[in-house]
Structure formats: structure tokens, C-alpha cells
Amino acid sequence: MTYLVIDGTRVVSAHPTLASARSAEAQGIGRSTEPGPLLRGEPAWWARRNGHAAELGLLRTDATDLGFRFELRACQAPAGSCCHRPCGTYATWAVSRRYGLLSELAAFVPLSWIWVGKRSGDPRGDAQQFLDEGQALVDRLAGGLREPLRIVERLPADSRTLDEREQAAHALVVRFLAQHFGPASGPGFVAVRPVRYGRDLHLRLDPSGLPNLPVCGAILPGRGAEAVGIELEVRTCDQCFGRAPIVPPPVLTAAEFDAWTAYIHQPGS
């Protein structure tokens, strides 16, 4: 269990003990003195006074048993124009009872934060597949951003700069969240699926009039493997990802075109 310091509805810090959470709170926001209902013998939260209104100040992460949920939100405002108090231009990328996993995923998404409040749950964010794949992705990305010790004369195993690795990690987290929290399939729905051929990552539309062909139209040997969102050393196809023109242009239905352009214009693509 973790104790969270809340400012408005934004989680500003997390602490292993109530004492450390109170210490952090007292240094900036002000003390929360009004206890909420008991949960297993201890208040589930504490409120602080803001004028005549009481607002959430400290929260136990297991207060999800009382209807609280966490959201991973990413700012959509122009750079430098938002202070998140509160942010009015954001996208909610994930909802879950699991604060720890959302917080670890948010570490790879610039200008993101964790919101908390009472809201309906989302079974996608509590599904075991999401939790297992999310933790595996976090562990993989965290390891990829650490600089391992090496012999000075030898070249590093990963020649990318730290900025390049951070950008790649950001893109993988965005795609992972889109995979689990994207719109559900329905009549006329077109899915955009990253498909890996060797070290090259292409995009394929499903369903499509050209099944097995990527958006760029390249004829690729063999059958591609669907990318699960945790490969680090891949080269994205500039044509499939909208960074270079496709000649001749692909002939797409309106649904296919809308799905493709929405995918390549999402943050991290």
C-alpha cells in the first residue's frame, strides 16, 4: 500500500508511509486533517480545507475498494502553456485500479500525470493481460534506459543516444496503451496493426482490400509477425508512418484512411 499526496485531483507524490506523506504535504500544499471513512482500521483518505470546501489531500492506494480510480492523463496543450492546476486540455490514455503500473508507464510519457477521483471502473485497465504486459513493458524499457557498465574500449551494445532511447520508449508506451484502450471493434471499424518484418516495422490495415500488404504497398518476403509493443531495436517504415510520400499513393476507403491518419498522428508515432 502507498500513500499519495493529492493537489486538486492530481497525484503529486507517492510515499511508503503516512508519516513521509504528511511531511511532503506540509512542505508545500498544507496539511490534510479531516479523516475519511475507515478502511481496514485506518482512514482511506484525509481531506484539507480550501476556503469553505474540503478537497482530497492524502489517499491510500487501496481506496479503490471505495470507488476511487486512477487515470493516466497526457497534456495536449502547446508546450510550456500548461501547469496542470488543473489541465483543461488533456487526453485520458488509461484507467485502472493499479496506481503503481500507471505511474511507471507515465514515466515514459512527457507531460503526463496521474489523476485520481471517484469514477466508474474500466475493466480493460484491470485485465490480467494488461497488467502482465504493462509490467513486462515497463521492466524492458527501464532496463533499456540504464547505462550498463562496460569496458571503455568497447562500443556500447546500444549506439542510440539517451534522447533517442527515450523517444523510442515513449512511442512504445503510446502504442501499448492504444492497443488496450483504443476504440472497440464494430461494423466499419478498421484496425491499424504494427507488423514487424525482420527489424523493419510496417503498418497493416485490418480488414483491408489488400490483406497481407502494408500501407506502403511494399512486397515483403514471408509473413510478418504482429508487433506486441515491446521491441526496441526496430526501424519504422517512413512511408507507413507518414514521414515520406508513398508513390503511387495507396487507394484506401474512407474508413481505412481515417484509421491510418489517426494512428500516425497520435503522440509518439
Side-chain angles (χ1 to χ4, degrees), residues 176-228:
F176 169 75
L177 294 174
Q179 175 187 348
H180 285 273
F181 290 91
S185 300
F189 174 80
V190 176
V192 181
R193 305 193 186 283
V195 178
R196 181 169 49 82
Y197 290 82
R199 290 184 59 195
D200 295 323
L201 189 67
H202 293 267
L203 295 179
R204 189 175 65 199
L205 303 177
D206 183 23
S208 170
L210 297 173
N212 302 328
L213 275 186
V215 174
C216 66
I219 305 297
L220 301 168
R223 186 175 181 84
E226 188 164 333
V228 297

Side-chain angles (χ1 to χ4, degrees), residues 15 19 44 65 72 98 171 180 186 205 214 227 230 256 264:
H15 305 269
D65 292 348
L72 194 167
R98 301 294 185 89
H180 285 273
L205 303 177
I230 60 175
E256 290 172 341
I264 64 177

Side-chain angles (χ1 to χ4, degrees), residues 97-228:
R97 296 167 59 98
R98 301 294 185 89
Y99 166 79
L101 178 57
L102 292 190
S103 178
E104 290 180 303
L105 289 168
F108 300 102
V109 182
L111 295 179
S112 66
W113 74 101
I114 304 298
W115 172 95
V116 63
K118 285 196 171 183
R119 56 151 289 165
S120 58
D122 189 326
R124 296 174 296 182
D126 298 324
Q128 197 60 47
Q129 181 182 3
F130 169 75
L131 300 176
D132 292 343
E133 292 182 2
Q135 194 59 58
L137 176 61
V138 165
D139 293 343
R140 175 76 177 272
L141 295 180
L145 294 179
R146 286 194 296 266
E147 289 287 355
L149 295 176
R150 62 183 177 85
I151 299 174
V152 175
E153 291 80 6
R154 293 183 181 175
L155 295 174
D158 190 339
S159 60
R160 296 174 301 169
T161 66
L162 180 59
D163 282 347
E164 289 171 336
R165 281 180 282 162
E166 288 176 343
Q167 290 171 9
H170 175 204
L172 289 172
V173 168
V174 170
R175 290 171 194 153
F176 169 75
L177 294 174
Q179 175 187 348
H180 285 273
F181 290 91
S185 300
F189 174 80
V190 176
V192 181
R193 305 193 186 283
V195 178
R196 181 169 49 82
Y197 290 82
R199 290 184 59 195
D200 295 323
L201 189 67
H202 293 267
L203 295 179
R204 189 175 65 199
L205 303 177
D206 183 23
S208 170
L210 297 173
N212 302 328
L213 275 186
V215 174
C216 66
I219 305 297
L220 301 168
R223 186 175 181 84
E226 188 164 333
V228 297

Side-chain angles (χ1 to χ4, degrees), residues 1-6 8 18 21-22 25 31-49 53-70 116-119:
M1 182 181 64
T2 302
Y3 296 85
L4 306 176
V5 177
I6 313 298
L18 177 59
R22 287 200 177 281
E25 182 187 38
R31 290 189 177 277
S32 300
T33 57
E34 300 182 14
L38 293 180
L39 180 63
R40 290 181 280 279
E42 183 183 37
W45 69 80
W46 292 261
R48 75 173 67 91
R49 281 286 160 183
E55 62 180 26
L56 190 62
L58 296 176
L59 180 77
R60 291 164 47 188
T61 51
D62 58 356
T64 51
D65 292 348
L66 301 180
F68 282 88
R69 291 296 182 271
F70 302 102
V116 63
K118 285 196 171 183
R119 56 151 289 165

